[in-house]
Amino acid sequence: MRCFLLEQLMTAQTNPSVTSIVLTGGNFNFSAGADLSEFSSFAEANQSNIPSLIDVVSAIEASEKPVVAAITGHCLGGGLEVALSCHYRVAHSKSKLGLPEVQVGVIPGAGGTQRLPRLVGLPAACHMILTGKPVNAEKALQLTLVDIVSDQVLETAKEWAQQGETTPIRRVGQLPPKESPPEAHVTLHAATLGFPPQGSEGLHAAIEAMRAVYTTPDLSSGMKVEAEQFIQTLLSEQGQALRHVFFALRSAQKPWQSPPPHLLLKDKVPVAVIGAGTMGSGIALVLLQTGQYQVYLVDVHEKALEKGAQLIQQILKTQTARGKITASREQSLIANLHTTQSYDDLRDCQLVVEAAIENMTIKRKIFQQLSSVVPKTAILLSNTSTLDIDQMAAVVVFPQRFAGWHFFSPAHVMQLVEIVVGKQTSKETVALLQDLTKRMGKIGVVVGNCDGFCGNRMLKPYSAETVLLITESKNNIAHVDKAFLKFGMALGPFQMSDLAGNDVGYNIRKERGWVRTGNTTPNRPDRYTELADDMVAEHGRLGQKTLKGWYNYDLAIGKGRKGLYSPEMEMLVQKYRARGATATTEAEMIEQVLYPLVNEGFKCLEEGIARSPSDIDIVYLFGYGFPAWRGGPMYWADHEVTLSVLLSKLQSLHRKYPRTEHFVPSKLLERCVRLQITVEEYYKREMHLRSGQAKL
Ligand code: NAD
């Protein structure tokens, strides 16, 4: 494409019958930017005779004949850099323009950091480059990023090109910066204040490149700085991890097959959610927001039903107030929401999601009742976090249309959804769910059925070991959270538990028979502490919702979301802490907690619960706040920890705690270490051998 563009441009320069030039991407996208897979061979390409994008944009800008970009669809990354090198820009009203490079761990490398601030000013350029978020045509016009918005893009571009023939050519790269160096310094410094302490290498590189607009004499010297920063980010570990995430996301969401025809794909189809609690109301809202469904919300408790519906309306109202949706959209969505306590109203529903309490008997009863009401074609799903979906499928009439659909809390915010495939779930059902999950703006990862599926199963050692860090060892709650925040997790483990509700884990442990009732000692894992059970059952410390959990909360401080020190918890910790316990270092905490989490990830792969290590990475990045710049837990293990170190540490933890199952090293991990390859390489090899889909 670069060669072609350059050749055409040269031909146009020398052909006397060409008086001006319009650059178009045809009817679809102007250009969605670079092919990221080319980045891995960037150095080779750089040494070859293939022109770089810098050569292309320099030639366009230098053209003696006016060049106009006719922008349709996506105009992103390298695509926008090409458009910026044109002398004028005409955009279709539906086009999107942006420089998303930082999201894949690099910075714009073909003049984007130099031309955009010259054209739209530094604050707007900072916003676009540092968030990586695109702007629509209307905003682009307002920013003067484009000269005109027109739905007759090509015709208008031709007119502009012809007008350009009689006016002096305007070259963006030659425009003087809009700000003085001191002004720019203040803006750039302010922008860095919001950066997270770690994982911001790309952002800092972008800042340095933009700074060069003000500190170097001209475009070419600024572009030298940009090129240096680009190469640094390209080769950096964080940049590579972010690109891994980019490809992992696509691979995780690759459809099993195109969705088969189903009534669910039609407009105004009724669907239902059973249980109007935290999860049910969130899922109902997400279904509503597609604008496609009539959503029935069901609950056995009238109060819960009312509360759930009110919550949905409240969230939509806030979205309207923030200008995210229009008032008429809000009204039409609310009109699509129906509450009921009668299953008779669900007789036309093509999809029913169960989000009642985590209890197998109740869930089976619900599905049994539903099966006799809904149409034969309906898809039945459970949002269970841990329970065996095959046991539920056993009571429905068409188990091939039954699956788990595991959302994360809050369902309307969290992007991840695990699509849990049971023994009898059909490929068609999986494909429909993948499609629907995507249309809802969520990231669906297909996983197998086991206790906790992929994400919560791996969380088991994480939760258990973090609590043991304060009872077996002498670390306080805030100190443990701090170690994980420093590692880059979005929340510390105790903050996360307080947010999700400590009763969630408690109920799961109860269901597993681990919680003590009366004097009998339950059958539970070795190294079990009753601290977490006690704080919920005896002290009502359910988390933020009761204003007390691992921390105290005060509605007057940080809207009741800021964790405050709790003397009561301190006393409880003392009660359960082992005598003579000593403190551990932050590095030891990470090892003791995250190594068995990764080990469990390996076991998920062994058992076919996860299809690939990169799928696990996506689950942890989008469901559990694992830092994206570390690439996800499996990528982190492969590249930062290295598998031989992981194995030897697990072996020593296993020697220390021989009866703790999650320290028993996975066979797959041992195999990878023996073969001296990463698990990513192992899977690539396996996939190649199977040349198809991994078994599930
Ligand atoms: P919740 O207690 O907030 O809501 C459950 C609702 O179900 C209540 O309103 C209750 O009245 C209703 N209910 C109980 N029995 C019912 C029945 N027979 N028919 C209809 N409604 C009934 O619970 P939640 O946190 O929303 O969890 C719901 C499900 O989602 C559970 O299976 C849970 O494991 C799962 N889940 C929870 C989370 C989380 O973080 N809270 C995350 C993912 C999945």
Side-chain angles (χ1 to χ4, degrees), residues 273-281 283 298-305 343 354-359 362-363 365-366 369 382-387 392 405-410 456 499-501 503-504 507-508 545:
V273 180
I274 313 290
T278 314
M279 295 309 288
S281 51
I283 297 169
V298 185
D299 202 293
V300 276
H301 296 115
E302 211 173 320
K303 278 254 159 62
L305 200 50
Y343 280 14
E354 171 278 318
I357 50 170
E358 190 77 337
N359 177 295
I362 291 177
K363 288 188 192 283
K365 204 166 153 208
I366 289 174
Q369 287 175 329
S382 172
N383 178 51
T384 176
S385 326
T386 49
L387 300 177
M392 295 177 222
W405 209 27
H406 182 214
F407 285 75
F408 289 71
S409 178
N456 280 347
L499 180 71
D503 51 328
V504 175
N507 287 332
I508 293 170
K545 58 186 159 189

Side-chain angles (χ1 to χ4, degrees), residues 207-487:
I207 290 276
E208 288 320 309
M210 282 191 277
R211 194 188 303 284
V213 173
Y214 307 90
T215 55
T216 59
D218 55 20
L219 179 78
S220 69
S221 43
M223 282 189 60
K224 275 200 192 106
V225 177
E226 182 191 72
E228 282 161 20
Q229 296 293 338
F230 173 80
I231 295 286
Q232 253 179 45
T233 53
L234 184 77
L235 302 177
S236 79
E237 283 172 8
Q238 289 185 9
Q240 290 179 38
L242 287 168
R243 276 190 298 289
H244 160 76
V245 176
F246 176 87
F247 289 112
L249 255 178
R250 267 146 197 78
S251 144
Q253 295 179 95
K254 201 166 157 207
W256 276 25
Q257 58 178 62
S258 48
H262 191 276
L263 283 170
L264 192 60
L265 301 171
K266 294 234 156 65
D267 223 19
K268 300 292 165 218
V269 184
V271 299
V273 180
I274 313 290
T278 314
M279 295 309 288
S281 51
I283 297 169
L285 171 62
V286 183
L287 282 164
L288 263 187
Q289 282 172 324
T290 61
Q292 196 188 338
Y293 301 117
Q294 297 290 328
V295 181
Y296 286 82
L297 188 59
V298 185
D299 202 293
V300 276
H301 296 115
E302 211 173 320
K303 278 254 159 62
L305 200 50
E306 261 171 44
K307 203 173 143 202
Q310 269 170 12
L311 185 78
I312 293 172
Q313 293 178 3
Q314 190 53 49
I315 295 173
L316 289 173
K317 207 179 230 150
T318 312
Q319 287 182 357
T320 311
R322 290 190 183 152
K324 289 195 173 158
I325 54 172
T326 61
S328 70
R329 168 100 177 149
E330 178 195 335
Q331 286 315 314
S332 79
L333 293 184
I334 288 176
N336 288 344
L337 177 67
H338 316 277
T339 54
T340 179
Q341 291 195 287
S342 162
Y343 280 14
D344 285 345
D345 289 336
L346 312 187
R347 63 188 164 271
D348 295 325
C349 284
Q350 291 298 331
L351 176 110
V352 185
V353 192
E354 171 278 318
I357 50 170
E358 190 77 337
N359 177 295
M360 183 57 90
T361 315
I362 291 177
K363 288 188 192 283
R364 277 169 63 106
K365 204 166 153 208
I366 289 174
F367 284 116
Q368 218 159 13
Q369 287 175 329
L370 279 173
S371 273
S372 62
V373 178
V374 294
K376 283 179 187 165
T377 48
I379 292 176
L380 299 180
L381 306 166
S382 172
N383 178 51
T384 176
S385 326
T386 49
L387 300 177
D388 180 357
I389 65 150
D390 286 331
Q391 279 193 44
M392 295 177 222
V395 302
V396 307
V397 181
F398 296 105
Q400 65 272 35
R401 279 193 287 284
F402 186 90
W405 209 27
H406 182 214
F407 285 75
F408 289 71
S409 178
H412 65 288
V413 177
M414 296 296 288
Q415 277 188 289
L416 181 71
V417 182
E418 285 181 319
I419 298 169
V420 189
V421 180
K423 270 197 199 104
Q424 298 185 68
T425 312
S426 69
K427 277 192 175 166
E428 287 77 15
T429 303
V430 175
L432 272 168
L433 285 175
Q434 283 186 298
D435 176 63
L436 175 58
T437 311
K438 199 162 190 181
R439 277 191 288 119
M440 287 167 36
K442 302 283 176 193
I443 297 164
V445 180
V446 181
V447 298
N449 179 32
C450 69
D451 188 356
F453 318 125
C454 176
N456 280 347
R457 169 170 166 176
M458 288 169 65
L459 197 69
K460 253 192 280 174
Y462 181 89
S463 309
E465 291 297 331
T466 39
V467 180
L468 292 170
L469 279 177
I470 53 176
T471 55
E472 281 183 353
S473 310
K474 196 179 172 188
N475 305 296
N476 65 36
I477 297 165
H479 185 197
V480 176
D481 272 349
K482 198 170 134 224
F484 286 87
L485 288 170
K486 259 171 93 179
F487 177 81

Side-chain angles (χ1 to χ4, degrees), residues 431-591:
L432 272 168
L433 285 175
Q434 283 186 298
D435 176 63
L436 175 58
T437 311
K438 199 162 190 181
R439 277 191 288 119
M440 287 167 36
K442 302 283 176 193
I443 297 164
V445 180
V446 181
V447 298
N449 179 32
C450 69
D451 188 356
F453 318 125
C454 176
N456 280 347
R457 169 170 166 176
M458 288 169 65
L459 197 69
K460 253 192 280 174
Y462 181 89
S463 309
E465 291 297 331
T466 39
V467 180
L468 292 170
L469 279 177
I470 53 176
T471 55
E472 281 183 353
S473 310
K474 196 179 172 188
N475 305 296
N476 65 36
I477 297 165
H479 185 197
V480 176
D481 272 349
K482 198 170 134 224
F484 286 87
L485 288 170
K486 259 171 93 179
F487 177 81
M489 299 297 289
L491 286 176
F494 298 111
Q495 291 173 326
M496 184 168 92
S497 189
D498 273 357
L499 180 71
N502 299 319
D503 51 328
V504 175
Y506 174 78
N507 287 332
I508 293 170
R509 292 193 296 277
K510 207 165 157 190
E511 184 84 358
R512 288 184 184 136
W514 294 354
V515 174
R516 183 185 294 281
T517 44
N519 283 335
T520 49
T521 303
N523 185 13
R524 53 165 69 144
D526 187 34
R527 296 170 65 227
Y528 188 90
T529 167
E530 291 183 358
L531 169 62
D533 298 341
D534 193 357
M535 65 184 270
V536 170
E538 302 300 323
H539 299 268
R541 303 195 68 97
L542 308 193
Q544 288 189 14
K545 58 186 159 189
T546 56
L547 294 180
K548 52 181 190 173
W550 293 99
Y551 297 95
N552 282 350
Y553 297 90
D554 184 334
L555 285 177
I557 303 174
K559 295 185 186 161
R561 288 188 209 126
K562 188 173 165 41
L564 308 165
Y565 170 76
S566 157
E568 184 178 57
M569 271 320 288
E570 181 69 40
M571 273 165 51
L572 269 177
V573 167
Q574 296 302 342
K575 179 175 161 192
Y576 287 98
R577 181 169 281 159
R579 267 204 217 126
T582 52
T584 42
T585 64
E586 287 184 351
E588 284 167 339
M589 288 187 206
I590 299 295
E591 287 174 5

